[in-house]
Amino acid sequence: MLGRSVELARFDALLDHAADSARGEESPDSGRSRLVDITGEAGIGKSRLLGEVCARARQRGMTVLRGRATEYERQVPFQVFTDALAHLDPRALDDFPETEAEAVAPLLQRGGAADRFGLHRSTAALLARLAAPSGLLLALDDLHWADPASLELLDHLVRHPVHAPVVLAVTRRDRQSPESLAARLTRELDTGTVVRLGLRPLSARDCAELAGPGLPPAETAALYAASEGNPFYFLTLLQAHRGGTTPESSAPPGLGTLLLDELTVLAPSRRGIVDAVAVLGEHATPAMVSRVTGRSGTAFTADVHALTRRDLLRSAPQGLLTLRHPVVRTLVHESTPFLRRVEIHRLAAQELARAGASAAERAHHVEQSLTAWDPAAVAVLEEAAARTARTAPASCAHWLDVALRHLPHTPEHTARRRELVLRRARALAACGGLRESRDLLQELIATPRTPRRSPGDPATGENQGLGEYQDRLRVRAVVLCALVERHLGRCTEAVALLRRELARGPAPADVVRLGLELGSAAPQDSGTSYAQVRTEVELALAAARSLGDEVKEAGVLAVAALGEAYEGNMTAAHGFARQAAALVDSLPDNDLTALCEPLARLGWAEAFLEHYPDAERHAERGLDIARRSGQLYVVPHLLLCLSHVRVQTCRISSALELADQAEDIARGIGSDQLLAFVLASKAAALVAACPPGDPRPLAVAEEAVAAAGTGVDWWASTAWCIFGWAALMAGDPVRARDAMLQAGGPELQRIQPSMRPLYLEILVTSALVTGRPEEARGWAERARKEAEQLGLPMQRASALRSTAHLPLAQGDTAAAADLFAEAAAESARCGAVFWEAHSLLLGAPLEAAAGHGRGGTHAWLRGRRLAEAGGSGMLIGLADATRPPGGGAEAPYDSPERAELTQRLAALTARELEIAELVAQGLTSQAIADRLYVSRRTVDTHVSRAFRKTGVSSRTALATLMARRRTGSRFGDARAEQD
């Protein structure tokens, strides 16, 4: 490895670190995956370096998986990962949880129907499992040619490093790399997750050593100058020079010319084999090459051996034949006559079909062999698209595009064309192609309906059915287009589109579909309030009831509940939410498959109504159904609803994990507006999670408002409000005030009415800190009035805290203490544990100062317990800052209560205790399973055993028990020190 000693030394250190971590010789925190980004031009030696690194990893006993992306297979989903996992021992998945094994099945070419983000998480779990014995090296070559699904999976692994001794090593050409890949790897350089090794040309001395002593120095220097130190070009020039093919009277020829000259001397039979290998790519097994070239037996074997001796062909793992370098493959592929390439692909597709390969495996060859309309071939593409819609929507959209390009523009294919266009638009919307999706849908909506025949035509009944089908498809396209417009931040256009379609007089079932989407879009439109679409939603509800369709009725009720809750009409919202919940709870999951987005609306409505258990129950149910049915676009809204509830109820770790999952999906969809909302939710969870002074909440909030841009919709307003909170907690009240005014606009009308009292607290605090007492008084009075109108405990609590700051600023600690205590009681009424603890900790030192006996100590102890149980670094920091003079002593650590608690918890095994701690942090069973790399069933079993051994019957009770244990241990240690 000439000239690469520095790079190899860096790799040796990373491999040693991973191997030591796997053996337990490093701290647990050191066992996080790292990615090495090897960059450089073609032929610079990236693959050669990667091969040496793989060899060194094997010498250390590490598991090594190596895959290569290929130039002409860029639409084959997960191709580079599939290639890497092909080296996996088939028994490696024997003990892998069934659900995770099913999720990663597409990577192993075993089918599977998991959603792509579930696949990402399960792949991380698989890598962690494979790393367990001695560490893992995952080496991915030529990523500049990777398919979109592989790039998305790699992006997940970079943003969420695997908690295991895993080294990822990737090679790519800088100038040919997709922008998204280069940007992600560059962003993570600062975090230390990514290490970049840019390979430079070899030195003149290295090239002289490469050439050997037999070549005169002057000739070596000439070849070095021509190659500019590129090892592949230098060796190709050297081989040509030794063969006598380089002209002596002119400058050395280019690399392409040299390689093509090497091919011209081949016999036709051998050139045919080389062509077949170049075209077949990942399917170039000796058997496949033999079939497509029509050669077999000893003659074929002799030709392959001869080509191997010339170093044109090489044997790759899994028995594949490859050309010696991707550059050679490119030149051979492009110089192979077009019709010859078509024939090779056609024969390959036939052989794969005969071998029982899936449509997704055959699709690449079918596509490349299509030159005219072929119903059977297009059917394969359609099936491949259907199989990859949930895991690789970019590939799905591509294959549907190929099918549409070959589908004849004739009347008998009109219905099929429209259906394929709709499917392609849906796939594009799922993979970030929102604008292209919208353009397709607008074109589809504008397509004239096929005219009906005359009444006397005997086929009129059939034609009538076609007309109804076209109407239904048009409505589906309109609803999807409105959804895409929403994600593009064009809610006004979405509302106008839906109203125009309603004006056409659709069938009752379509009135419901359109009304549902209109009711969902209106609150997000800065120019349309829910009150302006209330009539259309009422018509949709009447239509659903006239049809006797309880599923649709529940959906409209849920949308109405959210609309009214958003506007602050809480009496109406309560009524609609109760009716929707009653219907939803009575329906089986299968009936609710079409109701995932309304379930999200119901969850959010209940969250705004401060019915947190109901909101959580409905959002979790909707999330399970949405994931099973592949309704990706709904999942972020359900995740964010759960994250919001868990912030309010002080289960902060869980809230942050849920927001992280939503961020993955939002980035995959490519909607700036959705990303703004997701990042705002993540920032809110981070504010609660991080100790004072941590820069992360403000950084994420800044990214949220940047994603929102100049938008003035609900999502943008929410992003600015959370930014204001983050700025206030970061000690910048001026910036916080400016953010809130930006969020609200004139008179703060753009701030959500049902959340406005809570957000007004930011303005009150900012005004007081910056010396504006009269402004603070005005905001506090407004918060009080609006909170009373809403009648919501948490909003009243916020208004009480705002009011408490006013006497506090004037030195009246007793009045302030009473108001904070009242705020804590109000928060406790609805289970808003975060705000209860916040109010207690703000009021505790004031109670002590006002001489309220031990009330301040008790308030501080309870606030501190709640903060610790919920994992809130912000509140723990506040508790440390407000510790009462006595330090806050609890019951003696050797009291009967403490002894009884110790006895109950002593029965738990180490694993049960670990899982109980995670339950106390608010993590779901699935989140715990993901963190510990076990199945959800295993987690549930341990939780049940913990219930039985400790005598509790709920996760909340178990969490309380664990909180008491932590608090007792802390005070016990303190007491022991005093003794």
Side-chain angles (χ1 to χ4, degrees):
M1 288 299 296
L2 292 171
R4 305 300 183 215
S5 57
V6 172
E7 290 84 357
L8 285 171
R10 190 71 181 272
F11 262 114
D12 282 339
L14 288 170
L15 296 175
D16 287 340
H17 183 73
D20 291 344
S21 296
R23 290 192 295 268
E25 297 175 12
E26 297 280 348
S27 65
D29 290 340
S30 67
R32 288 166 61 89
S33 63
R34 302 283 293 279
L35 184 143
V36 185
D37 179 25
I38 306 171
T39 64
E41 63 184 19
I44 203 69
K46 302 183 296 297
S47 299
R48 176 72 183 86
L49 175 64
L50 195 61
E52 177 64 22
V53 170
C54 289
R56 295 186 180 205
R58 291 189 186 96
Q59 290 171 4
R60 289 167 169 80
M62 297 175 69
T63 300
V64 176
L65 302 174
R66 184 176 183 181
R68 181 189 293 274
T70 48
E71 183 175 7
Y72 299 103
E73 291 79 22
R74 297 192 205 187
Q75 296 302 331
V76 178
F78 305 107
Q79 184 265 327
V80 66
F81 284 93
T82 298
D83 190 31
L85 292 172
H87 305 280
L88 197 60
D89 186 332
R91 294 170 297 180
L93 291 179
D94 286 351
D95 297 327
F96 200 46
E98 184 179 346
T99 53
E100 280 83 353
E102 183 180 350
V104 299
L107 302 187
L108 306 172
Q109 294 188 336
R110 297 180 186 173
D115 72 88
R116 70 193 208 255
F117 299 101
L119 181 148
H120 296 168
R121 294 189 295 274
S122 294
T123 300
L126 174 62
L127 296 181
R129 176 177 289 266
L130 296 174
S134 53
L136 170 69
L137 172 66
L138 177 61
L140 306 176
D141 216 349
D142 289 336
L143 272 195
H144 49 278
W145 286 326
D147 61 278
S150 291
L151 292 177
E152 191 174 60
L153 174 52
L154 181 69
D155 184 85
H156 175 87
L157 295 175
V158 173
R159 287 190 296 108
H160 302 282
V162 181
H163 291 271
V166 176
V167 176
L168 286 85
V170 305
T171 72
R172 62 186 179 89
R173 300 177 192 169
D174 257 329
R175 286 177 291 183
Q176 296 181 31
S177 295
E179 184 178 341
S180 60
L181 172 64
R184 170 55 60 194
L185 296 178
T186 299
R187 278 196 295 268
E188 297 301 330
L189 287 173
D190 292 339
T191 67
T193 301
V194 172
V195 176
R196 179 163 294 163
L197 300 179
L199 299 193
R200 302 179 64 82
L202 298 180
S203 66
R205 178 178 297 180
D206 290 334
C207 284
E209 187 174 344
L210 200 59
L215 193 68
E219 295 179 13
T220 301
L223 295 180
Y224 173 74
S227 68
E228 298 181 339
N230 183 297
F232 180 61
Y233 191 10
F234 180 84
L235 289 172
T236 303
L237 282 168
L238 181 64
Q239 182 178 350
H241 180 80
R242 287 172 173 164
T245 58
T246 304
E248 297 180 359
S249 58
S250 62
L255 179 61
T257 302
L258 288 171
L259 294 173
L260 289 174
D261 286 346
E262 188 178 356
L263 298 174
T264 57
V265 300
L266 296 179
S269 61
R270 293 178 181 175
R271 176 59 195 263
I273 291 173
V274 172
D275 291 347
V277 171
V279 172
L280 290 171
E282 62 177 3
H283 289 128
T285 61
M288 181 68 81
V289 174
S290 173
R291 290 189 182 97
V292 302
T293 57
R295 295 177 56 74
S296 59
T298 56
F300 174 75
T301 303
D303 284 341
V304 170
H305 286 168
L307 292 167
T308 303
R309 284 194 301 273
R310 294 179 67 95
D311 198 27
L312 266 172
L313 290 188
R314 291 179 179 175
S315 294
Q318 309 303 309
L320 291 179
L321 295 174
T322 66
L323 294 165
R324 74 168 177 265
H325 194 278
V327 171
V328 179
R329 186 191 180 197
T330 300
L331 288 166
V332 173
H333 191 281
E334 296 305 313
S335 63
T336 302
F338 171 72
L339 292 180
R340 173 62 181 149
R341 291 204 305 265
V342 168
E343 180 63 12
I344 292 172
H345 283 298
R346 186 185 66 80
L347 293 170
Q350 286 181 354
E351 290 301 325
L352 287 170
R354 187 175 295 117
S358 69
E361 290 180 78
R362 293 147 52 200
H364 164 66
H365 294 294
V366 168
E367 173 192 349
Q368 298 301 322
S369 66
L370 262 178
T371 56
W373 166 238
D374 181 342
V378 168
V380 172
L381 295 176
E382 288 186 41
E383 183 182 348
R387 286 179 174 270
T388 56
R390 292 178 60 182
T391 53
S395 295
C396 169
H398 171 77
W399 284 326
L400 289 172
D401 182 45
V402 175
L404 283 164
R405 280 191 272 116
H406 288 88
L407 192 66
H409 288 269
T410 54
E412 62 267 28
H413 294 292
T414 298
R416 186 178 185 184
R417 175 174 294 281
R418 289 176 173 171
E419 186 66 43
L420 292 182
V421 168
L422 185 61
R423 286 175 57 192
R424 183 163 185 262
R426 186 174 289 112
L428 287 167
C431 67
L434 291 170
R435 285 173 175 78
E436 189 178 356
S437 173
R438 180 193 62 197
D439 293 344
L440 273 179
L441 291 165
Q442 289 179 343
E443 182 181 338
L444 183 60
I445 293 166
T447 303
R449 186 180 185 193
T450 302
R452 296 177 179 174
R453 299 181 180 128
S454 62
D457 193 309
T460 296
E462 178 184 341
N463 202 44
Q464 178 75 18
L466 175 62
E468 292 173 356
Y469 167 78
Q470 290 177 0
D471 289 342
R472 288 196 303 272
L473 188 139
R474 176 189 167 90
V475 169
R476 287 163 58 199
V478 166
V479 170
L480 180 58
C481 189
L483 175 65
V484 172
E485 293 280 29
R486 272 202 278 146
H487 281 301
L488 287 169
R490 292 161 50 94
C491 292
T492 301
E493 288 79 358
V495 168
L497 176 66
L498 293 162
R499 280 185 158 155
R500 188 185 69 176
E501 192 64 23
L502 279 167
R504 291 166 57 91
D510 293 333
V511 168
V512 177
R513 292 190 187 95
L514 295 164
L516 277 169
E517 180 59 28
L518 185 60
S520 299
Q524 298 171 23
D525 180 14
S526 60
T528 308
S529 68
Y530 178 76
Q532 291 173 281
V533 300
R534 189 178 284 125
T535 299
E536 286 92 337
V537 176
E538 288 173 353
L539 289 172
L541 181 58
R545 286 171 171 166
S546 71
L547 293 168
D549 191 328
E550 291 184 326
V551 174
K552 289 186 173 64
E553 181 183 353
V556 181
L557 287 167
V559 167
L562 178 58
E564 301 293 0
Y566 175 89
E567 297 289 348
N569 302 318
M570 293 308 172
T571 301
H574 278 294
F576 286 130
R578 280 196 301 269
Q579 293 177 66
L583 282 174
V584 164
D585 293 343
S586 70
L587 294 168
D589 283 1
N590 287 342
D591 288 352
L592 296 179
T593 300
L595 204 61
C596 285
E597 187 164 16
L599 269 172
R601 305 293 172 198
L602 177 59
W604 273 112
E606 291 169 330
F608 293 150
L609 289 165
E610 300 175 7
H611 298 166
Y612 298 126
D614 291 335
E616 187 165 13
R617 179 166 54 86
H618 289 130
E620 284 185 334
R621 188 179 182 193
L623 186 60
D624 184 53
I625 296 169
R627 281 177 165 158
R628 281 192 279 109
S629 57
Q631 298 181 64
L632 178 70
Y633 71 97
V634 186
V635 172
H637 300 283
L638 292 158
L639 289 169
L640 294 181
C641 177
L642 287 169
S643 180
H644 171 82
V645 167
R646 288 176 188 175
V647 168
Q648 312 312 310
T649 55
C650 206
R651 289 171 288 166
I652 307 304
S653 296
S654 175
L656 197 51
E657 287 191 16
L658 291 162
D660 274 338
Q661 291 180 34
E663 182 186 354
D664 288 343
I665 302 173
R667 292 189 184 279
I669 290 174
S671 166
D672 288 341
Q673 279 63 37
L674 177 59
L675 183 60
F677 192 43
V678 168
L679 291 174
S681 297
K682 182 176 179 179
L686 280 169
V687 169
C690 295
D694 194 307
R696 288 177 294 167
L698 189 57
V700 174
E702 286 175 336
E703 189 180 354
V705 297
T710 58
V712 291
D713 53 25
W714 176 37
W715 292 347
S717 173
T718 301
W720 278 106
C721 286
I722 301 302
F723 177 80
W725 188 26
L728 183 64
M729 298 311 299
D732 193 343
V734 174
R735 207 174 179 194
R737 178 180 182 274
D738 292 344
M740 297 308 299
L741 297 178
Q742 171 73 30
E747 300 299 318
L748 303 184
Q749 290 305 309
R750 287 202 299 265
I751 294 180
Q752 180 179 338
S754 55
M755 294 286 286
R756 203 149 46 208
L758 179 65
Y759 292 137
L760 282 167
E761 187 178 353
I762 299 170
L763 280 169
V764 171
T765 308
S766 299
L768 286 171
V769 173
T770 54
R772 295 183 174 93
E774 288 307 312
E775 181 181 314
R777 190 174 302 280
W779 294 130
E781 178 60 18
R782 180 171 177 180
R784 184 191 67 77
K785 289 179 179 178
E786 295 196 16
E788 288 304 318
Q789 278 186 324
L790 293 170
L792 298 172
M794 192 187 81
Q795 299 300 322
R796 278 202 296 265
S798 181
L800 286 165
R801 285 193 303 274
S802 291
T803 304
H805 288 298
L806 301 176
L808 179 60
Q810 297 175 343
D812 189 348
T813 54
D818 289 342
L819 288 167
F820 280 126
E822 193 178 346
E826 284 288 336
S827 300
R829 281 180 55 205
C830 64
V833 177
F834 179 86
W835 299 109
E836 179 190 357
H838 189 225
S839 303
L840 288 168
L841 293 170
L842 288 173
L846 305 181
E847 292 203 27
H852 290 179
R854 295 188 56 81
T857 300
H858 292 315
W860 184 87
L861 284 170
R862 176 165 174 76
R864 175 77 188 219
R865 281 199 300 271
L866 294 175
E868 288 189 335
S872 173
M874 170 196 154
L875 293 179
I876 292 171
L878 179 60
D880 291 342
T882 59
R883 182 187 295 271
E890 204 189 33
Y893 70 95
D894 56 351
S895 66
E897 180 187 359
R898 182 67 56 212
E900 182 266 341
L901 174 63
T902 303
Q903 184 178 6
R904 290 167 70 184
L905 293 176
L908 300 183
T909 65
R911 189 57 142 180
E912 288 164 356
L913 198 59
E914 179 182 26
I915 289 175
E917 286 282 7
L918 295 175
V919 168
Q921 293 176 28
L923 272 67
T924 63
S925 291
Q926 187 59 59
I928 296 171
D930 292 343
R931 177 173 291 192
L932 300 181
Y933 306 112
V934 298
S935 70
R936 177 172 178 165
R937 184 178 300 174
T938 299
V939 172
D940 288 337
T941 299
H942 283 304
V943 171
S944 297
R945 289 173 180 166
F947 284 174
R948 186 176 67 253
K949 291 179 180 180
T950 58
V952 302
S953 59
S954 71
R955 297 171 78 93
T956 302
L958 183 61
T960 303
L961 204 63
M962 298 306 294
R964 287 168 56 201
R965 169 181 177 268
R966 285 194 299 272
T967 306
S969 174
R970 185 180 69 256
F971 286 113
D973 291 344
R975 177 70 174 272
E977 289 175 8
Q978 293 170 6
D979 293 343

